[in-house]
């Protein structure tokens, strides 16, 4: 009999570790002046340095250092007074030098933390995720596998390499071992990545789009029997491309590992791949024989010794902490705790704020994003913010407020926008969804309904107001649901002498 | 009347006076190359078209009365370890057979800007690893003094070209003595500037924290003139010194060592040094004393460990630097039959493309950096470096420059040491400490050893950033010896008849 | 000093991606033994209180401004490529996973 998640966490204690890679939004690459712009034609953004040509040498992008320090400060880290780059040596065709210039035992930021809030059975609870280190490194090129069935590596005949991405600055943020989450491990993981994303966005150092790869999350997980006081063998899951996937990956791994342990099987220390469709993880490269990276200090680069006065200057530029901002918005919008947490953990705070800034009433903005838009997003298994923009939502809300749309019609409009039919106005025009509130048109429909149900009309004239419902229903049907129901009622009752 | 046997400054004067043209000079050197290089094999590639075009351009500018750099129009031989755009650059290795770099090294850019005429690329030990040029994949270079003997290494080609009058100037690179030791065994002048003095951008890396490009010539003044062309800060090289180029030409012309303290290194005179080498070295000391300098004995006890530390650091760095040669982006590719994996092709390519010495050092370096061994080997070697620098600092507190024989023996026979790597490594015993500490070192001829009539080199070491001191002492010593001998030492070299 | 075995060298050759046959491995193992024997003496003076030196000339904080400069053209970038297709470097099948 196999364990499900709930059963698994009754027997086993999960321990998490999260590694997040962030692509910085500097204009030029980490060690050379090639452009970092996304989407360029292959190998149009390379040079001797990022191609690793013989004789080429790296020169550090000062902006990247600044961005990394800002990230460290925002995560409450200490900034190392002395830090160095190191070579991480291994062979892979997407790495031109066959070593990655990274940082090893002297990273630029250490020992920070990030506080999150999660919903538990006992209400909202804070949780502190400790951060081990934040360091700088460089991204690899992109490979296209040709000849295999699915464009994946296995079975490919050959590969094509584009080095435009090679050398783009990456910041790696590594948590310390995260224990004590109990059954809330998936929520903690998701809340951490969400909060981290919000912070990075507020710093303006990256566009942190998980779907585009500018923020990547690796989830490390191990299980141990509850109360054993030991740590199990961990697996590392890659290819986690959305906040939702973070949560699902944790759940998937807890279930997989617990079932193996129940069956008396050993957990293999390995890298696994998260599979969007199934929520499961697939085995990848075995890390049993961990690659020996032979780290040593990068001789082509000199140490980074940030001036403490400069660090304080940077600290002063830190934007409002997301937690402070949340508290402020919560007060401004008068939002109950639970709803606020839902908003935050769904990663919707920014879009809601933007929608409100565009004129929408706060409660409506929240209810649309958390309600209808999230529902549609879950159906499609995507992030709500990828479906529709704040300005589009604000437009819909405004149209409801002005009476041009009813809630029901508005839902159709939203669907249309999501389906790619254009802006809310475009959808309304194309589908002819505008509320019919023109008295003349309505009266025509009302008279038609009365003519079709003369007995019901008589009853209303006789004082039976509820009976009007059938007539209103008929008018709504006749107008394809586009009549303003309240207006119809008003006109109908007036016409029948009851108003 | 200038000829190919003149010094570069004499040739420059002849160009300035109109006695000859750069094109004529260039053609004369190609004629000499044609005559003797079949025996010497100093060159791997000749760029007649490019050289003559450069020469013609300089002549035209001179006609117009444009201001020209002191060495404009003078021919030069370039060690094949520096990239020159569009010109084959092999590093003496099969791995890069036919590779034409898409960019110029900074050294080449500066030479071109100065109007220097680059005749071609010279032979070298593969990837700069060796002390005899026998490790070249393209056959050894022969010492013009005795064609059965080695010209030193790794820059044997550049030194032999000078000694055979195939060029009046050359560029070499020095990691453990690769400029100085060939200079010593060919009776020419070779200088390793302070580390960071000359840009390494485009210098195909062997050992990044030790490599330096430097000037090679037949006189100290010529070397100084060339030094001032190639040296200086380069923003493409993070390890490049950001300070004005030392005034080495001025220093070379001083011809005054009165009152200077010459530190004779105790540890570099005893066992392992050929009798004739020590004798000529002492004659050099006598000449300096006669010129008014004072001898001081200094002890640098850590020198006994320098060789061992070098043969840990250099292989470690090279094992990483040479990882990029994997057939994916440039260089030869072996074994790609459409069915093998990238890994297999990499392995086969590296097996075929690298010679035994290179493989030896890569394996040694991989070992020294590997987990579990790092502290004992690479880590310890880096500590020896600190101790060496301390020894030098203490010695420079007692003396302005330090001196020693450049190499322990005169040129040995081709084939004599090929099977004994350790014996080969001992050739660098006096030169290595200079690279390890990053200071400047020069070799100039101080006589012919009595027992074999072969050139002996005198090494001068100056403190970091004080290259002018070695030129000052070198210039004065050269003048004193010239006056003692009556004619330059190279006049005694056999005239190569060629075919 | 640890004696280096053929297996040790085989492991190193694998890390360094250099194919070697048995004869080569044996020969190298012998050479490594001799060389390591000679270089191990660095441990004699490498006391705990001696800091290691990675850079002979002590310089810090060399950085460049975040400015874009022209790249190589694809033609130049690919000029040395043993094989290419669609402006990309063509390489044999990569085993392992992405």
């Amino acid at each position: 009999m196999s364990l499900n998640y709930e059963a698994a966490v009754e027997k086993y204690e999960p321990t998490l570790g999260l590694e997040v890679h962030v692509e910085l939004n500097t204009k030029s690459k980490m060690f050379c002046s090639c452009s970092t712009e996304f989407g360029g034609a292959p190998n149009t953004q390379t040079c001797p340095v990022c191609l690793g040509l013989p004789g080429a040498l790296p020169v550090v992008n000062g902006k990247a250092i600044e961005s990394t320090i800002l990230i460290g400060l925002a995560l409450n880290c200490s900034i190392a007074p002395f830090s160095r780059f190191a070579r991480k040596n291994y062979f892979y065709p997407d790495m031109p030098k066959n070593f990655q210039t990274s940082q090893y035992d002297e990273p630029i930021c250490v020992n920070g933390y990030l506080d999150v809030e999660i919903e538990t059975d006992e209400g909202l609870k804070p949780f502190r995720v400790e951060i081990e280190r934040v360091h700088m490194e460089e991204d690899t090129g992109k490979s296209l596998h040709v000849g295999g069935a699915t464009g994946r590596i296995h079975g490919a005949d050959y590969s094509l390499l584009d080095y435009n991405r090679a050398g783009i600055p990456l910041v790696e943020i590594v948590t310390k071992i995260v224990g004590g989450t109990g059954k809330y491990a998936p929520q903690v993981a998701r809340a951490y990545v969400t909060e981290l994303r919000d912070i990075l966005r507020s710093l303006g150092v990256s566009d942190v789009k998980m779907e585009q790869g500018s923020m990547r999350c690796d989830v490390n997980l191990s299980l141990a029997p509850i109360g054993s006081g030991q740590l199990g063998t961990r697996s590392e899951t890659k290819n986690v491309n959305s906040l939702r996937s973070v949560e699902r990956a944790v759940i998937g791994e807890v279930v997989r590992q617990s079932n193996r342990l129940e069956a008396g099987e050993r957990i293999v220390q390995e890298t696994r791949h998260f599979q969007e469709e199934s929520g499961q993880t697939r085995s990848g490269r075995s890390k049993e024989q961990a690659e020996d990276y032979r780290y040593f200090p990068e001789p082509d680069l000199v140490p980074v010794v940030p001036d403490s006065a400069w660090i304080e200057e940077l600290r002063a530029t830190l934007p409002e902490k997301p937690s402070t901002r949340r508290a402020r918005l919560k007060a401004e919008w008068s939002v109950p705790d639970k709803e606020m947490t839902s908003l935050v953990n769904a990663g919707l705070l920014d879009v809601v704020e933007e929608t409100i800034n565009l004129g929408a009433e706060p409660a409506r903005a929240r209810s649309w994003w958390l309600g209808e838009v999230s529902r549609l997003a879950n159906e499609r298994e995507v992030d709500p913010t990828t479906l529709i923009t704040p300005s589009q939502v604000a437009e819909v809300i405004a149209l409801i407020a002005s009476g041009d749309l009813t809630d029901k019609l508005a839902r159709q409009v939203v669907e249309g926008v999501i389906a790619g039919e254009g802006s809310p106005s475009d959808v309304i025009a194309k589908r002819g969804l505008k509320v019919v509130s023109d008295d003349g048109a309505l009266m025509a429909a009302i008279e038609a309904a009365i003519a079709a149900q003369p007995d019901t009309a008589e009853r209303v004239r006789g004082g039976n107001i509820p009976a009007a419902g059938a007539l209103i229903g008929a008018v709504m049907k006749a107008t394809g649901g586009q009549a303003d129901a309240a207006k119809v009622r008003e006109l109908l009752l007036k016409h029948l002498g009851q108003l | 009347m200038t000829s190919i046997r003149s010094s570069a400054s004499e040739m420059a004067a002849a160009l300035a006076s109109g006695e000859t043209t750069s094109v004529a000079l260039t053609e004369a050197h190609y004629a000499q190359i044609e005559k003797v290089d079949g025996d010497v094999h100093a060159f791997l590639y000749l760029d007649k078209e490019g050289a003559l075009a450069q020469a013609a351009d300089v002549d035209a500018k001179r006609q117009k009365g444009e201001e020209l750099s002191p060495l404009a129009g003078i021919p030069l031989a370039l060690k094949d370890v520096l990239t020159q755009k569009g010109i084959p650059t092999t590093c003496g290795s099969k791995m890069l057979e036919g590779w034409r770099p898409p960019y110029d090294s900074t050294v080449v850019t500066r030479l071109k800007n100065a109007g220097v005429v680059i005749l071609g690329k010279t032979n070298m030990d593969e990837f700069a690893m060796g002390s005899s040029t026998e490790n070249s994949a393209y056959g050894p270079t022969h010492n013009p003094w005795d064609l059965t003997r080695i010209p030193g290494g790794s820059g044997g080609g550049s030194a032999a070209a000078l000694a055979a009058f195939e060029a009046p100037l050359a560029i070499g690179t020095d990691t453990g003595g690769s400029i100085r030791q060939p200079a010593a065994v060919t009776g020419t002048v070779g200088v390793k500037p302070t580390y960071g003095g000359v840009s390494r951008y485009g210098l195909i890396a062997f050992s990044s924290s030790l490599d330096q490009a430097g000037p090679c010539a037949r006189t100290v003044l010529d070397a100084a003139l060339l030094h001032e062309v190639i040296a200086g800060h380069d923003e493409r090289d993070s390890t490049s010194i950001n300070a004005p180029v030392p005034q080495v030409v001025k220093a070379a012309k001083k011809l005054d060592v009165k009152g200077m303290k010459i530190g004779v290194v105790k540890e570099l005179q005893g066992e392992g040094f050929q009798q004739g080498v020590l004798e000529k070295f002492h004659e050099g000391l006598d000449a300096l004393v006669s010129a008014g300098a004072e001898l001081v004995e200094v002890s640098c006890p850590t020198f006994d460990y320098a060789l061992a530390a070098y043969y840990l650091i250099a292989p470690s760095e090279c094992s990483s630097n040479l990882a990029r040669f994997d057939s994916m982006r440039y260089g030869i590719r072996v074994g790609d039959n459409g069915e093998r994996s990238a890994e297999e092709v990499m392995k086969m390519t590296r097996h075929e493309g690298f010679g035994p010495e290179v493989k030896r050092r890569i394996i040694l370096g991989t070992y020294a950096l590997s987990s579990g061994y790092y502290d004992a080997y690479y880590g310890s070697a880096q500590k020896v470096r600190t101790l060496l620098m301390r020894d030098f600092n203490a010695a420079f507190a007692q003396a302005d420059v330090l001196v020693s024989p450049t190499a322990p023996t005169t040129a040995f026979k081709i084939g004599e040491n090929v099977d004994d790597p350790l014996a080969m490594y001992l050739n660098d015993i006096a030169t290595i400490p200079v690279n390890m500490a990053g200071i400047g070192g020069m070799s100039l001829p101080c006589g012919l050893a009595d027992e074999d009539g072969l050139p002996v080199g005198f090494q001068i070491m100056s403190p970091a950033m004080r290259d002018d001191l070695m030129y000052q002492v070198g210039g004065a010593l050269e003048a004193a010896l010239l006056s003692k001998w009556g004619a330059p030492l190279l006049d005694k070299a056999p005239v190569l008849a060629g075919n | 000093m640890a004696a280096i075995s053929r297996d040790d060298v085989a492991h190193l050759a694998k890390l360094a991606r250099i194919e070697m046959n048995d004869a080569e491995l044996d020969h190298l193992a012998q050479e490594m033994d001799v060389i390591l024997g000679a270089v191990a003496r660095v441990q004699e003076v490498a006391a705990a209180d001696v800091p290691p030196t990675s850079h002979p000339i002590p310089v810090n904080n060399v950085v460049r401004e975040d400015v874009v400069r022209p790249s190589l053209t694809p033609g130049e970038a690919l000029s040395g490529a043993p094989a290419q297709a669609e402006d990309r470097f063509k390489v044999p099948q990569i085993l392992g996973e992405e």
Side-chain angles (χ1 to χ4, degrees), chain A residues 27-29 32-34 43 46 59-62 84 91-92 153 159-161 273 285 299 301-303 305, chain C residues 15 17 54-55 59-61 63-64 66 68-69 71-72 74 77 87-91 93-94 96-98:
Chain A
K27 297 200 265 286
S28 61
K29 292 188 180 181
C32 69
S33 306
C34 289
N43 292 304
T46 67
V59 183
V60 179
N61 183 334
R84 256 204 288 234
F91 285 77
Y92 208 74
I153 256 180
S159 299
L160 295 175
L161 282 153
H273 281 270
R285 182 177 58 209
L301 292 173
V302 299
V305 179
Chain C
L15 280 178
R17 300 299 187 273
S54 325
H55 281 110
V59 165
N60 297 326
N61 294 333
V63 295
R64 35 164 261 276
D66 186 27
V68 173
R69 296 228 164 98
S71 295
L72 292 174
D87 271 348
R88 290 180 173 88
F89 294 84
K90 184 174 172 193
V91 307
Q93 46 177 313
I94 305 171
E97 38 56 58
E98 57 240 83

Side-chain angles (χ1 to χ4, degrees), chain A residues 355 360-370 393 396-397 400-401 407:
Chain A
T355 309
E361 196 266 311
R364 305 226 100 204
R366 293 190 327 262
S367 91
W368 271 98
W369 279 102
L370 268 176
V393 173
V396 168
I397 293 173
I400 297 173
D407 273 330

Side-chain angles (χ1 to χ4, degrees), chain B residues 57-315:
Chain B
D57 184 66
V58 170
D59 286 339
K61 287 192 164 103
R62 203 182 296 275
Q63 286 280 25
K64 288 195 212 133
E66 279 180 42
E67 199 176 322
L68 292 166
S69 162
L71 292 177
I74 307 290
L76 173 143
L78 187 71
K79 184 175 181 183
D80 203 17
V81 74
L82 288 150
T83 63
Q84 187 177 349
K85 189 168 175 179
I87 301 292
T89 300
T90 68
C91 295
S93 177
K94 197 164 164 196
M95 185 64 88
L96 285 177
E97 191 165 15
W99 183 59
R100 290 179 189 250
Y103 78 104
D104 278 332
S105 53
T106 298
V107 166
V108 165
T109 302
R110 289 182 181 179
L111 289 170
K112 285 181 178 175
N113 288 345
V116 172
V117 176
I118 304 174
L119 297 170
K121 314 299 283 297
T122 57
N123 201 11
M124 53 185 282
D125 280 303
E126 187 182 0
F127 286 112
M129 301 183 211
S131 311
S132 65
T133 310
E134 291 173 285
N135 293 330
S136 168
Y138 301 99
T141 296
H142 301 256
N143 193 324
W145 285 83
D146 176 341
L147 295 172
T148 66
R149 292 178 187 266
I150 54 101
S154 64
S158 283
L162 292 166
F165 301 97
E166 295 173 284
L169 295 172
I171 298 286
T173 64
D174 190 310
T175 305
S178 295
I179 285 178
R180 291 162 287 152
Q181 183 255 11
V185 303
T186 57
T188 56
V189 176
V191 175
K192 186 204 85 68
T194 296
Y195 180 85
V198 178
S199 170
R200 289 185 301 115
Y201 185 74
L203 197 187
I204 296 171
F206 157 28
S207 181
S208 317
S209 70
L210 300 169
D211 292 343
Q212 256 307 262
C216 310
R218 292 190 287 265
T219 69
V220 173
L221 178 60
D222 284 355
L225 287 164
L226 186 51
H227 190 129
E228 288 189 2
V229 170
I230 60 175
H233 181 244
D234 182 11
E235 56 177 26
R236 291 185 192 269
D237 176 358
S238 302
T239 60
S240 156
I241 295 176
N242 199 352
V245 178
Q247 305 202 306
V248 296
V249 170
K250 196 163 155 205
K253 288 180 175 171
K254 252 193 187 152
L255 304 181
D256 179 9
V257 293
K258 276 195 281 294
M260 283 186 85
K261 292 207 168 67
I262 312 290
V264 182
V265 181
K266 183 170 128 200
E267 287 79 9
L268 293 177
Q269 295 191 78
E271 232 180 275
F273 282 84
Q274 184 181 323
Q275 189 55 32
V277 166
L278 288 170
E279 279 164 14
K280 294 302 141 189
F281 172 65
H282 281 108
E283 283 179 24
L285 292 177
D286 292 340
L288 283 171
V289 169
S290 301
E294 195 190 313
L295 297 182
V296 173
E297 193 184 67
V298 298
S299 172
C300 298
T302 320
F303 278 27
D304 284 342
Y305 296 89
L307 196 70
Y310 173 84
Y311 278 102
L312 282 168
I313 290 171

Side-chain angles (χ1 to χ4, degrees), chain B residues 195 304-305 327-330 333 339-343 347 350-351 360 367 376 380 382-383 386-387 389 422, chain C residues 16-17 19 24 31-32 34 36 41 43-47 50-51 53 56-57 80-82 90-93:
Chain B
Y195 180 85
D304 284 342
Y305 296 89
S327 88
M328 302 289 125
R329 291 159 293 283
Y330 44 80
R333 183 182 287 184
E339 278 165 28
R340 293 202 176 93
S341 67
E343 281 254 321
K347 285 179 170 169
R350 289 162 68 78
H351 175 253
R360 218 179 340 257
Y367 182 77
S380 298
Q382 295 287 50
K383 291 184 173 196
T386 305
L387 295 171
M389 288 166 86
L422 275 186
Chain C
R17 300 299 187 273
E19 183 163 298
E24 287 168 310
E31 286 179 338
M32 282 301 113
V34 173
L36 283 170
R41 63 200 310 256
Q43 293 159 32
E44 288 167 30
V45 287
V50 178
T53 296
I57 310 295
K90 184 174 172 193
V91 307
Q93 46 177 313

Side-chain angles (χ1 to χ4, degrees), chain B residues 456-472:
Chain B
V456 175
F458 188 100
Q459 177 174 236
I460 306 172
M461 302 171 253
S462 50
M465 312 276 269
R466 289 306 309 272
D467 293 357
D468 57 301
L469 288 173
M470 63 180 166
Y471 278 95
Q472 183 180 345

Side-chain angles (χ1 to χ4, degrees), chain A residues 378-407:
Chain A
N378 286 338
E379 258 174 31
R380 290 160 177 70
E381 295 184 352
V382 295
D383 191 298
T385 61
T386 61
L387 285 182
I388 192 170
T389 70
S391 88
Q392 287 162 337
V393 173
E395 199 182 327
V396 168
I397 293 173
L399 287 167
I400 297 173
S402 65
D404 289 299
L405 282 179
T406 59
D407 273 330

